[in-house]
């Protein structure tokens, strides 16, 4: 079989992005949560807030470290696998990515160390300020990276001359037509991720009767947050979808499995889209509902996939099913959040074993939903890399052979498997250990200690490493 | 109408970033290469602790350089990376493994020897790849217009293998003299012992590369021998530094050998720059061919002028905080 460098490069980028994405999505939400906990402790001095803040800061440190390590690879991939794209878009993407590095690094360098190690050494207000700055830094980072991605989806503010993009307006290019929707949708997804993980871990502790008072507080906060966010995210997602319908109708057609441009389009619950036949093999749907959702009229006309040549259609099945996974998980999140409100009456929620177990299980769902969402938006853009202007085919490195791409694909899978096995194994150990008694938490004071993310935790990597050593 | 040359300014910034990276990440990569030869596990603790607080700040220069290149000289980015495809992968894999080893080695007893290996091999592979990049830069790229058209392993020649090994020797020397500065007792003794041997290895490779380079690249040959120029001053200064290392090590001076090694690297680097200037994608693309649009260079410059001083301040501050000797049993073990 012929090894196709384009297919392998896409696979490789998708693999690296998917592996990387789960970490920042978590840290963005968690950073704000930690800032909030520190703020609450600052405001009313309740030690439960501080203990929660210390515990979640340790988790944050590990996840942040993993995110940094996995992110390095991506910026190099632009050059290694997509050099034509790098060359063509450098006038815009180069400054944007550079600004992401320097602004994120600036805040990280200044404040992460203070957040992780400064408790008790700097005034409480300064420590709170550092926590807020780290949270702000995560948003600044996502601002730049989403501006870059949105520009590739809905390019604006540039002109294409001889195969190179020239920026005509930085404001238009950065704040391109889909940027706002994407930024809000991703920001809320990050908070949902943080919320469901904290809720799940708190529920796990409650099931074991550990630190009941603090974990009840944490769970209660999360459930309020999720009750607001989960339905709101559905609304934002709807607006985002309308924006996509305006700018990338083919993507929406693939999401809906809609081949013909027509009115009264049904909302398909199940279908097997077949690109060869240019039709769905099986369809189970609710009549006219897709038209109603997308156009707000039952007889609204929805564009179909056949509006564009077959070569310009994305992999319909992948987009179709990823979209359904994302929406189904979103609905499940709303259901769980509303159930939590119901169970609050009489405080049943904290002792309801089945509900707590559901929460534990739900803690992985936001990650799956985020990845599914990214697959919808990225695969749905295919075969365009810069929508309407540059195809993936034109973007790939000309000198790249299938063998080279396969070699590095296998290499990255191997590297990440080892690294992330270690990282996630360690993360679970940190979570299992939970909150330590107060006097064991505040031991971090020696100057020789590496001011590195994982140094925020004393927990050994393997069991016979003895107790966290500090002789 | 343009009163200053943005590409020139950017060449200065990127050039500065590269030498900062080489000097700062060089010694901690070198420690990784020397890791298996250390006399005992305690020495390894000292070696790792001496760079643990600062190494990832050092590597940020690499990230800054990479992103800056894409912003200012995209041609370098889109020719070097495809041409060095396999090498770039090896370097990234090496940096990832050693980065993780920094985190987990101290937290692990049963598996510590695995993290030791990850640290050593990661450092060695990343260093070799960086040396090979230098060699590839000297020998040039096969391009058509602005696109690399060579093969996957064109970069791997006897010459680049030599520059790769040379970089390993050079970084090891940086690591050893750094260790003299940062350690004491039997660890420092060991570092004093190996420094002359590493220096000899560096000089041998340095000599071979110097003789070989004019045969690899005609442009360099012309520059070296074409006019009687000050260019010969640079290798002379580098050799003077080498002599300094030798002398100060035998006199048991602690700080000077490291400074002299830094000097050796700086003068060699300057020698390379003036030999190739203004070619940035050899054999024929200059910094002006490789530049991005002036608007983009300007847009990015405004940010860099603001941020780089802050980064420098922070870096200097963290070196100040972690100044002084590292002793066995400090940190955690």
């Amino acid at each position: 079989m012929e090894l196709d460098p384009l297919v392998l490069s896409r696979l490789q980028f998708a693999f690296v992005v998917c592996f990387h994405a789960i970490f920042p999505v978590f840290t963005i939400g968690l950073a704000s949560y930690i800032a909030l906990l520190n703020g609450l402790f600052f405001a009313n001095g309740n030690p439960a807030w501080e203990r929660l803040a210390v515990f979640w800061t340790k988790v944050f440190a590990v996840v942040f470290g993993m995110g940094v390590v996995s992110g390095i690879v991506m910026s190099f991939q632009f050059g290694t696998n997509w050099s034509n794209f790098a060359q063509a878009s450098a006038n815009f993407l180069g400054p944007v990515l550079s600004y992401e590095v320097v602004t994120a690094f600036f805040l990280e360098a200044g404040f992460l160390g203070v957040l992780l190690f400064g408790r008790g050494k700097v005034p409480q207000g300064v420590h709170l300020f550092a926590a807020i700055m780290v949270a702000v830094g995560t948003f600044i980072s996502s601002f730049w990276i989403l501006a870059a991605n949105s520009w590739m989806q809905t390019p604006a503010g540039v002109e294409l001359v001889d195969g190179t993009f020239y920026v005509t307006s930085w404001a238009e290019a950065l704040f391109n037509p889909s940027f706002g929707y994407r930024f809000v949708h991703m920001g809320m997804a990050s908070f949902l991720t943080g919320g469901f993980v904290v809720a799940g871990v708190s529920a796990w502790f409650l099931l074991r009767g550990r630190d009941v008072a603090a974990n009840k507080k944490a769970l209660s906060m999360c459930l309020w947050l999720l009750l607001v966010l989960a339905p709101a995210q559905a609304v934002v997602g709807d607006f985002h979808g309308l924006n996509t319908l305006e700018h990338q109708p083919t993507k929406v057609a693939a999401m809906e499995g809609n081949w013909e441009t027509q009115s009264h389009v049904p909302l398909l619950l199940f279908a097997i889209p077949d690109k060869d036949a240019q039709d769905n093999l099986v369809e189970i749907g609710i009549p006219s509902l897709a038209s109603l959702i997308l156009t707000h009229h039952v007889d609204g006309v929805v564009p179909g996939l056949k509006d564009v040549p077959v070569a310009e259609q994305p992999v319909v099945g992948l987009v179709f099913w990823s979209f359904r996974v994302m929406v189904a998980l979103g609905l499940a999140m709303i259901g769980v959040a509303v159930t939590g409100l119901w169970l609050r009456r009489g405080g049943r929620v904290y002792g309801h074993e089945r509900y707590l177990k559901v929460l534990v299980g739900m803690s992985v769902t936001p990650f799956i939903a985020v990845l599914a969402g990214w697959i919808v938006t990225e695969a749905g853009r295919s075969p365009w890399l810069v929508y309407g202007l540059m195809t993936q085919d034109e973007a790939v490195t000309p000198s790249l052979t299938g063998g080279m791409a396969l070699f590095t694909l296998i290499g990255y899978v191997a590297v990440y498997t080892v690294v992330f096995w270690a990282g996630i194994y360690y993360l679970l150990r940190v979570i299992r250990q939970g909150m330590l008694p107060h006097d064991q938490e505040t031991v971090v004071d020696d100057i020789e200690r590496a001011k590195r993310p994982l140094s925020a935790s004393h927990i050994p990597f393997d069991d016979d490493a003895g107790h966290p050593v500090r002789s | 109408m343009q009163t200053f040359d943005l590409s020139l300014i950017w060449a200065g910034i990127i050039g500065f970033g590269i030498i900062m990276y080489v000097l700062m990440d060089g010694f901690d990569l070198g420690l990784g290469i020397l890791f298996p030869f250390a006399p005992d596990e305690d020495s390894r603790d000292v070696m790792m602790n001496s760079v643990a607080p600062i190494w990832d700040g050092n590597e940020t220069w690499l990230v800054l350089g990479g992103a800056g290149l894409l912003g200012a000289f995209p041609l370098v980015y889109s020719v070097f990376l495809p041409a060095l495809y396999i090498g770039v992968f090896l370097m990234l894999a090496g940096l990832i493994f050693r980065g993780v080893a920094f985190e987990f080695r101290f937290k692990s007893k049963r598996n510590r020897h695995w993290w030791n290996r990850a640290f050593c091999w990661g450092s060695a592979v990343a260093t070799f790849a960086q040396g090979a990049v230098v060699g590839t830069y000297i020998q040039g790229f096969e391009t058509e217009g602005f696109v690399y058209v060579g093969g996957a392993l064109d970069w791997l020649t006897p010459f680049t293998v030599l520059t790769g090994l040379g970089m390993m020797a050079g970084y090891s020397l940086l690591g050893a003299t750094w260790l003299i500065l940062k350690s004491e007792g039997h660890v420092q003794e060991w570092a004093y012992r190996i420094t002359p041997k590493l220096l000899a290895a560096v000089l041998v490779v340095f000599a071979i590369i110097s003789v070989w380079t004019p045969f690899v690249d005609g442009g360099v040959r012309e520059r070296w021998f074409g006019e009687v120029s000050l260019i010969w001053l640079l290798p002379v200064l580098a050799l003077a530094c080498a002599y300094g290392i030798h002398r100060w090590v035998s006199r048991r001076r602690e700080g000077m050998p490291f400074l002299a090694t830094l000097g050796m690297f700086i003068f060699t680097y300057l020698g390379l720059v003036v030999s190739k200037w203004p070619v940035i994608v050899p054999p024929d693309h200059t910094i002006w061919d490789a530049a991005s649009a002036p608007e983009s260079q300007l847009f990015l410059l405004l940010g860099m002028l603001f941020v780089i001083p802050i980064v420098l301040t922070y870096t200097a501050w963290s070196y100040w905080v972690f100044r002084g000797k590292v002793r066995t049993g400090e940190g955690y073990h």
Side-chain angles (χ1 to χ4, degrees), chain B residues 56 64 108 112 128 166 183 234 267:
Chain B
D56 73 336
L64 205 62
S108 195
R112 178 168 287 190
F128 179 83
S183 68
L234 291 166
F267 293 124

Side-chain angles (χ1 to χ4, degrees), chain A residues 391-411:
Chain A
T391 61
Q392 293 161 346
D393 199 31
E394 295 166 325
V396 78
T397 300
S399 60
L400 189 65
T401 63
M404 290 158 74
L406 183 66
F407 172 79
T408 50
L409 174 62
I410 294 170

Side-chain angles (χ1 to χ4, degrees), chain B residues 169-299:
Chain B
Y171 279 180
S172 301
L173 180 64
L174 266 177
T177 51
W178 165 261
L179 202 55
I180 290 174
L181 176 68
K182 295 295 281 188
S183 68
E184 57 188 17
H186 78 291
V187 185
Q188 194 188 34
E189 266 319 303
W190 173 69
Y192 273 127
R193 260 199 323 277
I194 58 170
T195 297
K197 293 175 196 160
L198 291 169
L199 179 63
V202 170
L203 287 175
V204 169
V205 180
F206 184 75
I208 302 174
I209 291 174
S210 302
V211 174
W212 197 338
T213 299
F215 296 100
V216 172
D217 183 355
V220 171
R221 187 166 58 235
E222 259 169 55
R223 182 144 305 166
W224 283 12
F225 304 108
E227 59 224 83
V228 181
S229 66
L230 289 172
I231 211 168
W232 288 96
L233 194 60
L234 291 166
V236 171
L237 287 170
L239 285 174
C241 288
Y243 177 70
I245 298 170
H246 171 74
R247 200 171 156 77
W248 283 314
V249 163
S250 57
R251 290 188 176 185
R252 288 291 191 268
R253 294 281 298 269
E254 292 189 331
M256 292 313 286
F258 181 63
L259 289 180
T261 315
L262 292 182
M264 218 173 135
F265 264 86
I266 291 171
F267 293 124
T268 311
Y269 176 74
L270 287 176
L272 181 65
V273 170
V274 295
S275 299
K276 294 296 252 187
W277 181 265
V279 171
I280 196 169
V281 182
D284 26 52
H285 295 296
T286 66
I287 58 166
W288 297 281
D289 300 332
S292 60
E295 299 78 36
S296 298
Q297 288 190 332
L298 188 63
F299 179 70

Side-chain angles (χ1 to χ4, degrees), chain A residues 9 12 65-66 69 72-73 75-81 83-84 86-87 90-99 101-103 105-106 108-110 144 166-167 170 174 397-401 404-405 407-408 411-412 414-416 418-419 422-423 425-426 446-455 457-465 469-471, chain B residues 49 52-53 55-57 59-60 62-64 66-68 70-71 74-79 81-83 85-86 88-93 96-97 99-100 102-104 107-112 115 146-152 291-293 295-304 306-307 310-311 314-315 321-323 325-326 329-333:
Chain A
S9 293
Q12 181 174 322
M66 291 295 125
V69 168
I72 298 172
V73 172
S75 63
F76 283 93
Q77 274 187 312
F78 284 126
T80 50
N81 291 50
S83 71
N84 275 1
Q87 175 77 11
N91 286 330
F92 173 67
L93 280 189
V96 168
L97 295 180
S98 301
Y99 270 110
V101 171
V102 292
T103 51
F105 171 74
F106 165 49
E108 172 200 319
W144 292 109
Y166 290 89
V167 180
W170 285 101
L174 288 171
T397 300
S399 60
L400 189 65
T401 63
M404 290 158 74
F407 172 79
T408 50
Y412 284 124
V415 170
Y416 277 27
V418 173
V419 166
Y425 171 81
Y426 187 67
D446 84 62
I447 195 96
E448 298 296 335
R449 223 161 119 81
K451 295 288 185 283
R452 311 226 353 91
L454 287 206
S455 307
S457 156
H458 288 289
I459 298 157
F461 187 82
D462 39 26
D463 283 320
D464 45 354
V469 180
R470 240 189 64 87
S471 42
Chain B
N49 273 335
W55 76 273
D56 73 336
E59 282 188 0
T60 308
L62 181 70
V63 182
L64 205 62
L70 180 63
L75 184 64
V76 179
Y77 202 81
S78 64
V79 171
L81 291 182
Y85 191 80
I86 305 291
V88 168
F89 164 75
L90 292 174
M91 183 185 83
L92 291 175
I96 288 173
F97 270 121
V100 177
F102 265 111
E103 304 281 14
F104 286 135
K107 301 202 186 302
S108 195
K109 273 226 162 55
R110 188 172 22 140
N111 295 312
R112 178 168 287 190
W115 296 119
F146 294 114
V147 174
Y148 176 73
V149 292
S292 60
E295 299 78 36
S296 298
Q297 288 190 332
L298 188 63
F299 179 70
L300 189 52
L301 184 64
L302 297 176
M304 290 289 182
F306 172 69
V307 173
I310 294 169
V311 174
Y314 169 77
T315 307
V321 167
F322 297 107
R323 69 192 182 279
K325 298 279 186 190
V326 178
E330 267 180 1
Y332 43 150
H333 40 161

Side-chain angles (χ1 to χ4, degrees), chain A residues 13 115 144 171 239 274 328 341 360 422 436:
Chain A
F13 201 79
L115 172 64
W144 292 109
F239 278 110
D274 184 343
L341 181 67
V360 173
L436 296 171

